[in-house]
Amino acid sequence: MRMAIFGGSPWIKMRAFSFEVSPSTSNPFYRRTKVIQFQRSFSVSAFSVLEQKTQGPVRVRFAPSPTGNLHVGGARTALFNYLFARSKGGKFVLRIEDTDLERSTKESEEAVLRDLSWLGIGWDEGPGVGGEYGPYRQSERNSLYKDYADKLLQSGHVYRCFCSNEELEKMKEIAKLQQLPPVYTGKWANASDEEVQEELEKGTPYTHRFRVPKGSLKINDIIRGEVSWNLDTLGDFVIMRSNGQPVYNFCVTVDDATMAISHVIRAEEHLPNTLRQALIYKALGFDMPYFAHVSLILAPDRSKLSKRHGATSVGQFREMGYLPEAMVNYLALLGWGDGTEEEFFTMEKLVEKFTIERVNKSGAIFDSTKLRWMNGQHLRALPSKELTNLIGERWKTSGILTVSDGPFIDEAVQLLKDGIDLIVDADEALNNLLSYPLQSTLQSDEVKSMLEEDKLSEFSASLLAAYDSGEITAALEEGPAGWQKWVKGFGKSLKRKGKSLFMPLRLLLTGKLHGPDMGATIILLHKVGLAGIVDPKLGFVTLDERFKMLRQINWEALSKDQPLKETTASISN
């Protein structure tokens, strides 16, 4: 006896008594054992894969429904399929499952294709590319489904069911009262030809129902191992609706088989569908593909990741400024690893390292903080010119600067890049560099202790004297070496060094107590003031204006803890 447990499915803790038979004598990857015949049309097989490889070409598919945006879970599934195909020298097929006519839209399909392309996940066959197994939209394959449904009807694996919706609901109610699974009772399973013909002549609507045999079924999932089902809990299921539209599980099976898909890599929520699909494979005489069901992506609270947890679609992360390289790297690590501590992977490296056997069966936690960190790693790994172009264009687009390139931007990017994890972070980094929040900083407790200890009024007077003499401007014109030489001399003249020199200097010139390298910051402030490339609406305070403001501070009143507006009334003018 074997147990199979499916979260969120009707087959909770069901007992599956398995036996092994040959699904196809033509398939060399399945073990041949005894065949057990049932009275219901055909024998059911439990499939047992001996080798985790195929002799034929590897062909995998990603089959999204165009009913919304591409979720990160779907993107990871597409990525795993893509990496598997590339690592095996196989083909990656994109198929659009748009049989849900009410919810499927052209806009959603275009968004999915755009997001996959943005991630760098290109398809070998599919929309816009073509291929010998097309068409690649299910809505264009209806005649194919009709042909295979007719084949199953002729072979007896499928029968016409004329039950009305009211009859079906009544069956469910009776089953519920009897505490039985809500399965179809088989009313039309053994109807005579005369009974069927009578209903057809009356024009009674009917569905196509698949005859489910007795017994059990077993597959060997590449990720999850052996999975078993008890067929007694299934009941005959519909493959074609009364309006002539095919049902999902039927479409998927026919498509995967006729497109020669060798491996089906998909989310674990599709695992219950495998039972119906396996039965259809057998009835149509198709060889089974290998199945690999990857775990769900979970939120930090271990619930299924959803909109309530924040951004969940690829498009949202793109708009937030994430790099496709970072998204691919992070998604690959959600349930997979190469067995080392390495976390930084390019797409090329992933193709080289990826194996489906290393995909973990347990749920993967989506950590937005980790994703942001990883994006920063990839951002800073970009070639210097590419990074500068990206950030420079961002600063111009966001209205901070009036230009997108030049010496100031080159140096500012180098100074600020370590604090930028997303391109949008560049705005805050530059705004902080250009700001002069002297008024608020002077009111802080940390500065109040400096007033007497560091004798800020005396320090300010000496700084102003150096500015008036032209020393500071001359030093800034010489660049980093000139600035360092001046600071060293200035500190020597005041008999100050270390913190007692640099903290007051940073405070008075930047208006802040902390920040990036002070020398580089002051030189950049000097350059940007001369270049005049800061948008006037930003209210940038140049170094010259900062020295004017320092002259107006009433240090005596400030040391007596009087309100700042009384001591620096004209600083902002």
Side-chain angles (χ1 to χ4, degrees):
M1 182 186 301
R2 295 181 175 90
M3 300 289 286
I5 302 176
F6 302 95
S9 78
W11 302 286
I12 303 296
K13 296 184 179 179
M14 65 186 187
R15 284 181 285 186
F17 300 89
S18 63
F19 52 87
E20 297 179 350
V21 302
S22 173
S24 170
T25 56
S26 64
N27 191 333
F29 304 111
Y30 294 101
R31 182 164 56 212
R32 187 174 188 177
T33 57
K34 61 182 180 178
V35 177
I36 298 180
Q37 297 290 338
F38 290 102
Q39 296 179 349
R40 300 194 67 188
S41 301
F42 72 102
S43 63
V44 170
S45 307
F47 308 111
S48 181
V49 181
L50 294 181
E51 300 179 47
Q52 297 298 330
K53 61 181 180 179
T54 61
Q55 292 181 347
V58 167
R59 289 178 56 82
V60 297
R61 51 74 165 179
F62 177 58
S65 297
T67 56
N69 297 319
L70 179 62
H71 188 273
V72 292
R76 185 192 60 169
T77 298
L79 177 62
F80 282 1
N81 276 279
Y82 175 85
L83 294 176
F84 183 74
R86 291 290 177 267
S87 68
K88 299 293 185 182
K91 298 290 187 181
F92 174 64
V93 179
L94 179 63
R95 183 175 72 228
I96 304 299
E97 297 189 341
D98 58 351
T99 52
D100 188 340
L101 301 179
E102 293 183 0
R103 297 174 59 221
S104 296
T105 67
K106 189 66 177 176
E107 292 74 18
S108 288
E109 179 183 326
E110 291 172 352
V112 170
L113 301 185
R114 182 174 61 250
D115 288 343
L116 288 173
S117 298
W118 177 73
L119 289 170
I121 301 175
W123 48 99
D124 302 300
E125 299 174 26
V129 177
E132 59 182 304
Y133 292 90
Y136 294 93
R137 291 182 183 86
Q138 285 186 337
S139 59
E140 300 171 7
R141 298 170 65 84
N142 279 330
S143 60
L144 186 68
Y145 308 135
K146 179 70 165 56
D147 289 344
Y148 279 104
D150 288 343
K151 180 179 179 181
L152 290 176
L153 188 64
Q154 293 167 15
S155 66
H157 292 97
V158 161
Y159 60 88
R160 296 182 179 89
C161 172
F162 296 92
C163 288
S164 64
N165 290 333
E166 291 74 15
E167 288 179 287
L168 295 174
E169 285 300 321
K170 191 168 185 179
M171 289 179 194
K172 290 181 181 178
E173 291 175 8
I174 293 173
K176 186 176 181 180
L177 289 173
Q178 296 177 346
Q179 296 184 328
L180 296 173
V183 298
Y184 180 66
T185 58
K187 176 180 178 181
W188 285 92
N190 299 304
S192 65
D193 292 342
E194 291 76 13
E195 290 173 312
V196 171
Q197 189 60 36
E198 183 181 345
E199 295 300 323
L200 290 175
E201 291 174 357
K202 289 193 297 185
T204 306
Y206 63 88
T207 60
H208 288 69
R209 281 193 182 273
F210 188 94
R211 296 182 191 273
V212 176
K214 301 296 182 183
S216 63
L217 184 145
K218 178 181 69 178
I219 67 165
N220 200 14
D221 189 278
I222 296 175
I223 295 173
R224 300 181 179 279
E226 185 180 291
V227 183
S228 302
W229 292 270
N230 182 350
L231 300 178
D232 294 339
T233 65
L234 182 56
D236 296 349
F237 56 89
V238 174
I239 65 164
M240 296 284 282
R241 300 181 180 89
S242 58
N243 63 0
Q245 284 297 311
V247 170
Y248 168 78
N249 281 303
F250 184 55
C251 295
V252 169
T253 307
V254 171
D255 287 342
D256 286 344
T258 57
M259 289 182 177
I261 300 301
S262 64
H263 295 74
V264 174
I265 304 170
R266 58 188 179 186
E268 67 173 319
E269 59 193 354
H270 287 287
L271 189 54
N273 293 325
T274 309
L275 170 57
R276 291 174 171 83
Q277 293 165 21
L279 292 173
I280 297 171
Y281 273 110
K282 173 64 179 175
L284 288 173
F286 291 132
D287 287 340
M288 285 270 287
Y290 293 98
F291 288 99
H293 289 89
V294 301
S295 64
L296 294 177
I297 296 179
L298 305 176
D301 62 1
R302 302 201 68 81
S303 63
K304 185 178 179 180
L305 188 66
S306 65
K307 292 179 180 179
R308 68 185 178 89
H309 298 108
T312 58
S313 74
V314 171
Q316 286 175 300
F317 286 107
R318 184 183 68 250
E319 292 169 2
M320 290 164 64
Y322 283 87
L323 296 175
E325 300 92 333
M327 286 299 300
V328 164
N329 191 165
Y330 184 69
L331 290 175
L333 296 180
L334 290 177
W336 174 86
D338 69 344
T340 71
E341 297 298 316
E342 179 62 43
E343 291 186 300
F344 191 82
F345 294 93
T346 61
M347 183 72 88
E348 293 73 20
K349 200 70 174 177
L350 286 171
V351 170
E352 177 187 333
K353 295 286 187 179
F354 185 83
T355 60
I356 195 67
E357 289 79 12
R358 290 205 62 85
V359 174
N360 199 315
K361 69 174 67 175
S362 59
I365 303 296
F366 191 89
D367 184 345
S368 56
T369 302
K370 179 70 173 290
L371 172 59
R372 171 182 271 273
W373 170 84
M374 184 161 285
N375 195 80
Q377 300 299 307
H378 279 272
L379 191 66
R380 287 181 283 278
L382 291 174
S384 180
K385 184 173 177 58
E386 184 178 348
L387 176 62
T388 300
N389 289 342
L390 275 174
I391 295 180
E393 189 59 43
R394 172 69 195 185
W395 283 338
K396 183 181 179 183
T397 302
S398 59
I400 301 176
L401 302 180
T402 57
V403 298
S404 61
D405 56 20
F408 169 78
I409 291 175
D410 294 343
E411 293 178 35
V413 169
Q414 290 304 308
L415 177 64
L416 302 174
K417 65 180 182 179
D418 287 345
I420 299 174
D421 286 333
L422 295 174
I423 289 295
V424 294
D425 294 345
D427 291 355
E428 182 180 355
L430 184 58
N431 278 322
N432 187 56
L433 180 80
L434 299 176
S435 68
Y436 189 53
L438 183 63
Q439 296 185 51
S440 58
T441 307
L442 286 173
Q443 295 179 95
S444 68
D445 292 337
E446 193 172 356
V447 169
K448 287 176 183 177
S449 66
M450 292 174 59
L451 287 171
E452 290 300 324
E453 293 175 11
D454 290 318
K455 299 179 180 179
L456 281 181
S457 63
E458 294 180 12
F459 191 96
S460 179
S462 299
L463 186 63
L464 285 166
Y467 172 73
D468 292 339
S469 70
E471 292 177 17
I472 293 179
T473 302
L476 291 171
E477 290 294 338
E478 292 182 32
W483 172 258
Q484 291 172 9
K485 181 180 178 181
W486 176 81
V487 170
K488 185 177 181 181
F490 184 63
K492 189 174 182 180
S493 68
L494 298 181
K495 296 181 180 180
R496 290 177 181 240
K497 60 182 179 179
K499 184 178 179 181
S500 67
L501 171 63
F502 294 107
M503 283 291 279
L505 197 57
R506 180 186 289 276
L507 168 64
L508 298 179
L509 293 182
T510 71
K512 297 176 282 286
L513 294 172
H514 310 284
D517 181 79
M518 184 182 64
T521 298
I522 304 304
I523 292 171
L524 277 174
L525 291 173
H526 173 65
K527 286 184 177 181
V528 77
L530 294 177
I533 60 174
V534 180
D535 192 295
K537 295 190 293 293
L538 198 68
F540 170 61
V541 181
T542 65
L543 277 180
D544 287 343
E545 291 169 335
R546 296 182 189 200
F547 281 111
K548 290 178 183 178
M549 293 167 66
L550 287 177
R551 296 184 196 281
Q552 299 167 11
I553 296 178
N554 187 332
W555 293 102
E556 182 179 354
L558 188 61
S559 65
K560 293 179 181 178
D561 207 20
Q562 291 184 13
L564 190 63
K565 63 181 180 180
E566 296 180 14
T567 62
T568 58
S570 59
I571 282 183
S572 59
N573 296 329

